[in-house]
Amino acid sequence: MPDAPQHRDTHDLNPVAFPPRATYRLQFHKGFPFSSGRDLAGYLAELGISHVYSSPILTARAGSIHGYDVVDYDAINPELGGEAGFTEMAAALRAQGIGIILDIVPNHMAVGGADNRLWLDLLKHGRGSAYANWFDVDFDSPDPQIAGKVHAPFLGEPYRDVLASGALSLVLHEGGYAVSYGEHLFPIRPEDQAEIAAVGVEGFRNADALDRLLSRQNFVLDWWRNAGDRINWRRFFDVTQLAAVRMDEPAAFAAQHAITLRLYRDGLIDGLRIDHIDGLADPAGYCLELRRHLDTLQRQRPEGLRDDRAWLIVEKILAAGELIEAGWDVDGSSGYDFMDQVSAVQHDPTAAAALSAHWAVLSGRSRDFHAEEEMARHEVLSHAFDGQRERLVDALEEAGGRDREAEGLTRSALRRAVTSLTAQLRAYRSYATGRDDGVGAGEAIQAALKAALATPLADAPALRFIVSVIAGEGGEAHRSARITAIRRFNQLAAPLAAKAVEDTAFYRYGRLLSRNDVGFDAALMGLETAAFHTMMGERADGLPVSMLTTATHDHKRGEDVRARLAVLSEMPEDWIEATQRWRGLADGIRPPGLDPADEYMFLQMLVGAWPLGLRVDDAAGLDHFAVRLGDWWRKALREAKLHSSWAEPDGSYEDQALQFAADVVNPARSGRLLHEVAAFVERLERPGVLNSLVQTALRCTVPGIPDTYQGTEFWDFSLVDPDNRRPVDFGARKIALAQHLSLDLLAESWRDGRIKQALLRKLLRFRLSQPALFAQGGYEPVEVVGPRADNLMAFLRRHDDAGMLVVVARCCSQGLSQTGGLVPEADWWGDTRVILPAGLQMSNAVIGPSLDATDGFALRDALPVVPVGVWAVEGV
């Protein structure tokens, strides 16, 4: 590794807010380099942002649009502007009082191709590579063909076919030789270099000679389809182009974090977001080690930046009721849990019965999400992770020793039990390590055991044995084997959850798509306000500076798509009736064999993502929308793996579906259908916008640090990636922010999105004026009484002598008038009132009218323009 540059003289760096006050996610790539981030410094400061939340910056695969496919730990990506560009951006941001939170990727690197020298060295030297322990390779695989070697499943066809075709060729590479195949290079081991040099590459044009040479290498070329069954190294999920890296290996940890820690030491970044923490062998151990390094470097930071610890958050999918362990010493998660919670409270939970029943009848599939999840877990385990399952069974056999044999547990029983236990697991993994750290199997594993034991054909002894291993039970003689088994279980369970739930079941279960997104509990239709209040109180008590987000680079549909679709939970019967009528109107354009479930999910996306202002006579706009919908639908069909897949794309089915989508949004083909859809969208627009403004307000006022994903200060009707990574028109956003128009005026032109930006700015500027209140303030539900009490949430945040009252509307579509406003009519609230705690007085109005209230106030007076009211309060 190259020597780190000398410590910069950064004594003149301006301090920034700690904890972060508000972050803004920027996705850097070749078309949006650091210079573009630099040029946003003034705009972001005016908006109220304290930190840019940067996508990964280490050198990634050429042309990467996200940065998670790192190929070189030793340099900041030159496509983004390199270290000089990053330093220049950091300085421009710091001059505006803005710091940087950096997203890092410790779990994996991009492999294959010819651009990762660490990977190429591993292929060349095998066990003898300096990096052999960095990659999670099982050189002791029981498969005799790959034992002692690296499985390389990068071929597009079976090995013998590729060999016979002449697609493999011996070429010169960095003073030696390598086998070339398309974009891939496979370096020849040192022992064979002299022989090749003696006869030249021409001596290996013959397939038999090349085959003999390849048989001696430290890698085994194979067809990509065999990866799930045979691969002997851990991948990121089931992506063969991304190889896992062991952060428990000190040299790998040091190399991965060298630039990151130097940037922190030099004051150029202020915190980190850890990508896919659950992929690591020991997330807690990793976080503690990283925190130790950060705390040590904190004392070496520039003057004025040494007082506060680094802000450290982890990307973590939390199961229902699951919390990040305090022992990890992190500040929280990257916000998927809040995204789920705020979405759920904007859904009417009473719609579950009607929408579930309709989905079951229409689709012929389960009305229950957990049944869909269990089925997907079984399928994905068998097709994508069978090899990992077998290696886990190997480890379990060794961990049990004579105890397993005494209990009569066969390998087949262990395999069935692993399958059943992972199918019933409703969390990503356990955090057991097998060491004396007091971490047992955990509640999620015990719940999975209980569910697995309840199945009619349960292998009870094998199930109990596996859980005993995870719990660390057994003699000292088998501790090492138990640790290996636990690690393999956890590193199978996590990718299985990701691929089976979010990348399969979420695309199969179409009850209401606004409840299917990254980190969501799709089985839950909605939350009552009391449950939401409880969750926010737990945030204030446990993780008060965790990230809060409602849009990410990974979301499956934009925050305002979800907000609009949530309105359907307020009118399930009307929605069901409308879609049944639309299906009849589509009879003339529907291709034979189109699955009704696929059509129903398409209709949800059609109404959910319909752009504001799109008219049925706008041919160009409709064509553009049709292309975006088609791209979403093709990906959705492949992720669902029912009628098509990434492994076996059914082009015929996909093309018919996409043609149907194009015909639906073509008025010449769909006629009355398109007009009815447009009319229904118009009915959803304003209550959807109401939800959008409320979720923006809650993100900025409940305990935590609000993040704004790039561009979403205007309306966000994006679809799944890459649609959610389209270029952002920052010019329009800068102009809008500079206008400083009132919410009253912006409400008259709400479709242009400026009202959302203005609301966000007001709230972020209020956070700027009250940092301690937002960082340390508690959370107290406020009583609401009257006929519309269920359509309102109110809460207090208080700290020392500062306080604020927040009031937001929910599930109010029936109260909106036909006059175009974004709030319910005053009379609709009736006698609904907010009851203030004794001694509390309203002070300055941040959002909403000034109210002279001591004991409470009527809702009819409180929300005249936007469905949000925020007031400073006194007497705290």
Side-chain angles (χ1 to χ4, degrees):
M1 299 297 161
D3 293 334
Q6 294 298 307
H7 193 299
R8 290 190 183 85
D9 181 10
T10 48
H11 65 277
D12 59 343
L13 291 181
N14 296 324
V16 297
F18 187 87
R21 189 176 61 251
T23 61
Y24 191 97
R25 173 71 178 208
L26 288 177
Q27 292 291 125
F28 292 108
H29 51 83
K30 188 174 184 179
F32 189 86
F34 297 138
S35 59
S36 297
R38 175 202 64 200
D39 295 343
L40 290 175
Y43 167 74
L44 295 177
E46 178 62 24
L47 188 61
I49 299 300
S50 70
H51 287 77
V52 161
Y53 167 29
S54 166
S55 60
I57 63 170
L58 294 183
T59 301
R61 186 142 279 168
S64 174
I65 63 170
H66 48 73
Y68 291 95
D69 44 358
V70 174
V71 295
D72 184 1
Y73 290 149
D74 296 342
I76 294 177
N77 196 341
E79 286 191 351
L80 309 183
E83 185 150 353
F86 184 82
T87 302
E88 183 181 357
M89 177 183 73
L93 291 169
R94 186 75 65 168
Q96 295 286 344
I98 298 174
I100 297 174
I101 305 300
L102 185 60
D103 195 346
I104 64 171
V105 192
N107 179 71
H108 55 269
M109 296 185 82
V111 297
D115 50 3
N116 185 332
R117 66 176 183 83
L118 311 183
W119 176 254
L120 296 178
D121 190 89
L122 175 69
L123 295 179
K124 183 174 184 176
H125 297 284
R127 282 185 190 267
S129 170
Y131 311 110
N133 291 335
W134 294 27
F135 295 99
D136 206 352
V137 184
D138 180 10
F139 286 108
D140 299 319
S141 169
D143 185 337
Q145 294 184 35
I146 61 175
K149 302 188 177 189
V150 178
H151 188 225
F154 296 99
L155 304 182
E157 297 175 290
Y159 170 72
R160 292 294 169 189
D161 293 347
V162 173
L163 184 67
S165 73
L168 298 171
S169 58
L170 194 62
V171 298
L172 287 168
H173 172 63
E174 295 186 352
Y177 300 93
V179 169
S180 174
Y181 173 75
E183 74 272 23
H184 301 289
L185 274 182
F186 304 96
I188 297 299
R189 66 181 187 155
E191 297 91 327
D192 294 319
Q193 299 284 339
E195 177 189 346
I196 300 172
V199 300
V201 295
E202 294 299 327
F204 295 89
R205 299 298 186 200
N206 176 274
D208 290 338
L210 184 56
D211 183 37
R212 287 192 296 271
L213 176 66
L214 287 170
S215 70
R216 301 194 297 268
Q217 299 313 305
N218 289 310
F219 55 83
V220 176
L221 297 181
D222 200 358
W223 193 16
W224 67 268
R225 287 182 177 277
N226 293 332
D229 296 330
R230 302 188 65 201
I231 201 164
N232 67 336
W233 44 275
R234 190 166 56 86
R235 300 171 289 175
F236 172 72
F237 299 163
D238 61 347
V239 183
T240 305
Q241 287 73 30
L242 296 174
V245 181
R246 294 179 54 198
M247 287 297 106
D248 53 323
E249 176 63 31
F253 181 98
Q256 205 287 336
H257 296 88
I259 287 178
T260 297
L261 292 174
R262 174 166 54 80
L263 294 176
Y264 176 68
R265 181 199 67 190
D266 290 354
L268 299 181
I269 64 173
D270 304 294
L272 302 172
R273 180 261 199 189
I274 313 303
D275 182 63
H276 190 45
I277 192 73
D278 277 339
L280 301 177
D282 180 9
Y286 167 83
C287 289
L288 291 172
E289 180 68 5
L290 180 57
R291 177 62 83 181
R292 183 180 69 81
H293 283 275
L294 291 168
D295 284 350
T296 298
L297 293 174
Q298 180 184 333
R299 298 187 291 273
Q300 303 175 33
R301 280 171 51 89
E303 196 78 35
L305 302 180
R306 298 172 186 167
D307 294 337
D308 301 308
R309 297 179 95 196
W311 191 54
L312 187 59
I313 58 170
V314 296
E315 184 199 26
K316 171 83 180 86
I317 304 296
L318 293 164
E322 184 182 12
L323 300 173
I324 292 178
E325 296 293 334
W328 289 17
D329 200 9
V330 299
D331 292 297
S333 76
S334 55
Y336 301 148
D337 48 338
F338 173 75
M339 190 163 79
D340 176 33
Q341 293 161 355
V342 75
S343 171
V345 81
Q346 294 191 313
H347 286 72
D348 186 341
T350 64
L355 291 175
S356 298
H358 179 64
W359 168 250
V361 172
L362 178 77
S363 66
R365 304 186 68 81
S366 174
R367 59 182 291 158
D368 173 48
F369 176 74
H370 288 314
E372 196 72 78
E373 175 183 349
E374 183 178 349
M375 186 183 308
R377 282 176 174 267
H378 277 285
E379 293 175 11
V380 172
L381 179 60
S382 295
H383 287 85
F385 300 108
D386 189 62
Q388 279 188 249
R389 174 171 55 183
E390 291 303 307
R391 300 295 74 76
L392 170 57
V393 174
D394 292 341
L396 288 168
E397 286 188 310
E398 186 174 350
R402 284 194 295 250
D403 294 337
R404 178 188 62 80
E405 295 172 3
E407 294 183 18
L409 299 181
T410 66
R411 182 179 181 87
S412 294
L414 290 174
R415 185 187 299 109
R416 289 192 299 268
V418 165
T419 301
S420 181
L421 192 65
T422 54
Q424 298 297 338
L425 189 59
R426 293 296 172 262
Y428 254 49
R429 53 173 287 170
S430 84
Y431 295 97
T433 64
R435 300 190 297 271
D436 295 328
D437 53 11
V439 180
E443 294 180 4
I445 295 293
Q446 296 297 340
L449 172 62
K450 182 178 180 180
L453 289 172
T455 59
L457 298 177
D459 287 279
L463 284 164
R464 292 193 177 96
F465 167 74
I466 293 171
V467 173
S468 75
V469 170
I470 298 172
E473 299 172 8
E476 186 65 27
H478 295 114
R479 180 189 289 267
S480 177
R482 282 198 305 276
I483 290 173
T484 298
I486 291 169
R487 173 174 55 82
R488 288 185 179 177
F489 178 88
N490 287 329
Q491 292 184 322
L492 169 63
L496 175 62
K499 296 305 296 181
V501 181
E502 292 167 37
D503 289 348
T504 303
F506 277 7
Y507 288 95
R508 293 180 176 182
Y509 187 70
R511 178 177 67 172
L512 188 57
L513 292 182
S514 46
R515 293 298 302 139
N516 298 8
D517 218 309
V518 57
F520 279 31
D521 180 2
L524 178 70
M525 174 58 70
L527 279 177
E528 300 289 355
T529 56
F532 183 81
H533 284 316
T534 298
M535 292 172 177
M536 297 306 106
E538 291 172 347
R539 284 185 176 278
D541 295 338
L543 292 169
V545 293
S546 185
M547 180 176 277
L548 308 172
T549 191
T550 48
T552 78
H553 62 284
D554 277 335
H555 66 230
K556 300 188 184 303
R557 47 201 58 85
E559 61 182 34
D560 299 320
V561 176
R562 294 194 308 273
R564 183 187 290 173
L565 288 176
V567 180
L568 298 179
S569 70
E570 302 177 48
M571 52 180 74
E573 290 79 11
D574 290 358
W575 166 247
I576 292 169
E577 179 184 349
T579 55
Q580 289 176 325
R581 187 171 62 254
W582 298 346
R583 280 182 50 79
L585 293 174
D587 284 344
I589 57 175
R590 180 185 301 107
L594 182 63
D595 191 325
D598 290 337
E599 183 177 345
Y600 185 65
M601 287 188 277
F602 163 73
L603 290 174
Q604 290 184 58
M605 293 304 291
L606 177 65
V607 301
W610 186 285
L612 289 167
L614 179 62
R615 304 183 313 274
V616 294
D617 60 354
D618 181 357
L622 290 170
D623 287 345
H624 179 65
F625 186 36
V627 171
R628 291 179 56 219
L629 283 172
D631 290 343
W632 162 80
W633 207 359
R634 189 184 300 278
K635 181 171 183 174
L637 291 171
R638 292 184 181 183
E639 296 284 20
K641 308 170 189 66
L642 294 174
H643 297 288
S644 189
S645 69
W646 295 107
E648 285 288 349
D650 186 335
S652 176
Y653 187 86
E654 291 177 1
D655 290 346
Q656 288 185 66
L658 269 60
Q659 184 59 54
F660 176 72
D663 287 345
V664 167
V665 296
N666 180 353
R669 294 281 293 150
S670 62
R672 180 182 161 195
L673 169 60
L674 186 62
H675 286 81
E676 284 207 14
V677 168
F680 198 91
V681 169
E682 187 174 0
R683 183 180 171 188
L684 299 177
E685 281 181 343
R686 287 186 297 119
V689 164
L690 180 152
N691 284 341
S692 297
L693 296 176
V694 166
Q695 74 176 351
T696 298
L698 291 174
R699 190 177 80 236
C700 294
T701 54
V702 303
I705 310 302
D707 176 59
T708 301
Y709 180 67
Q710 59 179 31
T712 61
E713 61 268 39
F714 277 14
W715 303 126
D716 172 26
F717 290 98
S718 63
L719 309 176
V720 73
D721 65 276
D723 191 76
N724 58 13
R725 301 172 189 175
R726 289 176 295 160
V728 176
D729 184 354
F730 282 110
R733 286 158 176 79
K734 289 179 180 180
I735 291 171
L737 193 67
Q739 292 171 335
H740 293 286
L741 298 178
S742 68
L743 293 176
D744 303 62
L745 286 174
L746 294 173
E748 298 175 4
S749 57
W750 56 266
R751 284 184 173 83
D752 60 23
R754 292 180 299 166
I755 191 171
K756 184 182 179 187
Q757 181 194 52
L759 179 71
L760 177 66
R761 180 186 180 279
K762 279 180 172 289
L763 292 169
L764 295 186
R765 302 300 289 187
F766 184 49
R767 291 180 69 93
L768 174 62
S769 71
Q770 297 285 348
L773 170 63
F774 284 96
Q776 303 172 52
Y779 182 95
E780 305 168 48
V782 171
E783 184 181 6
V784 181
V785 298
R788 303 295 183 189
D790 290 340
N791 302 103
L792 198 74
M793 288 199 304
F795 60 88
L796 281 168
R797 302 285 311 278
R798 297 197 262 192
H799 177 69
D800 291 341
D801 59 350
M804 72 167 177
L805 172 70
V806 179
V807 177
V808 297
R810 64 178 291 270
C811 299
C812 292
S813 62
Q814 294 181 355
L816 296 181
S817 72
Q818 301 303 312
T819 59
L822 299 178
V823 294
E825 292 184 312
D827 290 343
W828 184 78
W829 292 110
D831 295 328
T832 304
R833 292 179 57 81
V834 172
I835 307 300
L836 296 179
L840 202 68
Q841 293 185 340
M842 310 288 285
S843 180
N844 297 329
V846 180
I847 296 170
S850 296
L851 297 175
D852 183 14
T854 54
D855 58 347
F857 54 88
L859 258 295
R860 63 187 307 113
D861 304 323
L863 306 177
V865 178
V866 293
V868 175
V870 179
W871 296 268
V873 295
E874 298 177 348
V876 296

